[in-house]
Amino acid sequence: MPQEHDVSLDLTRDGKYYGLPCNVYVMGLLCNAQLFEQAGLVDENGVPLFPTSWEDLAEKAKIIQDKTGVQGFFMPTMDGNGGWHFMNIAWAFGAKFEECIDGKWTAVYNSPEMVKAFQYVHDLKWKYNVIGDNALVNVPAFFKQFAGGQVAMGIYAPSNERNNFANILKQNALPLDAFSMCALPKGEDGTRKALMGGTLYMFSQTANQDELDACFDWLEICGFTPKMGEEKLATLKADFAADSENNYVVGASNAYVWNDQGYLDTIEEARKDYINIDQKKFAQYPDLENTTLVPEEPYCCQDLYRVIDSLLQKVLLNEDIDIQAMLDESVKDFQFNFLDKVN
């Protein structure tokens, strides 16, 4: 079963497969190219001068905000979205969230590296002033703001070989020229880390061989396997034609579940006549060759996301907060309320 890059959706146990991935996402940075241009942050081809480091992101967000009056960066803080996005920032500063120490899973996100990561978010708000005043926002709020041209940058997770931006474009007629995307900025050590995840279809462990064969036949018909025939090509062409007619983005680069060349060639063949964007504005995403893909934390991850949400809210609402003390208390609570129950 071919997998994309070095990290896979682990659907195995004791050497047996229990499911099949149907799509994958790799976190990147969604940017409004028009705002970059208005701020003078584009190259000779009109491609945004994407941030190369997180400090560079803060500085460019400030330049854009000062020159256009539009919010420079979006940081979600609700519904687990804040923790989901923040992990990428934390890893860039060398921070960890959970570790298995002496056979026991332990919360470790009160390290000096994590303090620096939260200090970075604190600076985005209180030093650079590029995060909005509302400290209770989620990813759908980002979609709405980006669709309205009200924010320049935000972390984003495309997860479909067709149109990844329909959820934004359905809300507002943002020009296609405004869309651009790059890989996440590099961390302090010069490496880039990005969260990788996806969705999957699971099989019952009690399914018999005939039922499993039927499952795989259905998945193949739906295009969720690396097999791509003429029927699937025709379906994809029709899908891309519909996306183009609806003025959705067609032609953006993406990460894929399967790295089978025939699979990738079929997608490219299907969409080539319907590409409606400047692909140079997406060429720096996902940059898998220079990105370390990191999976979600192994235990109580969704709970951890919501805990991080609350910490981000505190940092964005209190300029004088003691970050170390905040993290020390949170680690103690998370260990007692969650990790101790799985050890």
Side-chain angles (χ1 to χ4, degrees):
M1 181 178 294
Q3 297 289 344
E4 176 63 66
H5 209 55
D6 297 323
V7 178
S8 65
L9 299 176
D10 187 3
L11 308 178
T12 64
R13 184 170 183 177
D14 298 329
K16 297 180 180 179
Y17 286 98
Y18 288 86
L20 195 73
C22 56
N23 62 49
V24 64
Y25 70 79
V26 173
M27 290 287 196
L29 189 69
L30 181 62
C31 302
N32 185 318
Q34 291 184 332
L35 293 174
F36 271 73
E37 183 175 12
Q38 292 173 29
L41 295 174
V42 295
D43 65 16
E44 63 276 10
N45 297 312
V47 177
L49 299 174
F50 296 115
T52 58
S53 67
W54 288 96
E55 188 61 34
D56 188 30
L57 183 150
E59 293 170 356
K60 284 177 176 170
K62 179 65 172 174
I63 291 172
I64 293 171
Q65 188 160 309
D66 288 346
K67 292 191 175 182
T68 69
V70 175
Q71 180 181 326
F73 185 72
F74 187 93
M75 186 74 235
T77 59
M78 289 178 59
D79 302 333
N81 300 162
W84 186 42
H85 284 201
F86 175 77
M87 282 189 171
N88 299 272
I89 297 174
W91 293 329
F93 285 88
K96 298 179 179 180
F97 291 87
E98 299 175 4
E99 282 191 302
C100 188
I101 300 174
D102 296 330
K104 178 181 178 180
W105 281 97
T106 306
V108 295
Y109 59 89
N110 59 341
S111 64
E113 293 83 3
M114 192 67 76
V115 171
K116 292 173 69 174
F118 272 99
Q119 183 63 49
Y120 174 77
V121 175
H122 182 276
D123 287 348
L124 288 177
K125 169 64 178 177
W126 301 106
K127 176 181 177 181
Y128 295 98
N129 192 30
V130 294
I131 295 180
D133 292 333
N134 188 353
L136 296 173
V137 288
N138 55 15
V139 166
F142 172 55
F143 294 164
K144 185 175 182 180
Q145 284 187 235
F146 194 87
Q150 299 170 339
V151 65
M153 290 181 279
I155 295 174
Y156 189 67
S159 61
N160 191 296
E161 70 270 7
R162 285 183 57 203
N163 176 44
N164 291 305
F165 309 103
N167 47 13
I168 296 176
L169 283 162
K170 286 178 181 177
Q171 300 187 52
N172 203 311
L174 189 69
L176 296 183
D177 285 345
F179 285 83
S180 62
M181 192 153 184
C182 66
L184 291 177
K186 293 182 178 180
E188 289 191 325
D189 62 356
T191 65
R192 179 186 295 117
K193 297 180 177 65
L195 181 63
M196 175 265 198
T199 55
L200 51 102
Y201 284 101
M202 297 295 292
F203 307 134
S204 170
Q205 63 179 343
T206 62
N208 61 42
Q209 189 60 51
D210 288 340
E211 291 170 333
L212 290 174
D213 288 343
C215 287
F216 274 95
D217 288 343
W218 181 82
L219 290 169
E220 185 174 333
I221 291 172
C222 294
F224 294 130
T225 75
K227 294 183 179 180
M228 287 283 202
E230 289 300 319
E231 183 177 349
K232 183 57 181 177
L233 174 61
T235 299
L236 279 175
K237 283 185 176 180
D239 290 340
F240 285 123
D243 286 346
S244 180
E245 185 176 347
N246 287 325
N247 203 37
Y248 294 162
V249 172
V250 179
S253 53
N254 197 33
Y256 297 99
V257 171
W258 309 107
N259 58 14
D260 178 83
Q261 194 58 49
Y263 173 89
L264 300 175
D265 290 344
T266 300
I267 293 174
E268 193 60 34
E269 174 68 22
R271 73 179 187 176
K272 68 179 183 180
D273 294 331
Y274 306 103
I275 293 172
N276 56 9
I277 49 94
D278 181 355
Q279 291 183 298
K280 293 190 294 293
K281 293 181 179 178
F282 296 84
Q284 296 184 41
Y285 174 84
D287 193 21
L288 296 178
E289 294 303 316
N290 300 296
T291 301
T292 299
L293 301 181
V294 186
E296 293 183 314
E297 293 300 308
Y299 289 101
C300 308
C301 188
Q302 300 304 315
D303 301 299
L304 179 58
Y305 285 159
R306 286 169 171 76
V307 169
I308 298 299
D309 277 355
S310 67
L311 301 181
L312 290 169
Q313 292 168 20
K314 292 177 181 179
V315 166
L316 297 179
L317 289 171
N318 183 359
E319 184 176 4
D320 299 320
I321 192 166
D322 184 332
I323 294 175
Q324 183 67 69
M326 175 191 75
L327 293 177
D328 288 342
E329 180 181 3
S330 179
V331 160
K332 181 180 178 181
D333 290 345
F334 187 76
Q335 185 69 42
F336 178 79
N337 292 322
F338 297 102
L339 291 187
D340 282 350
K341 292 178 172 56
V342 302
N343 282 307

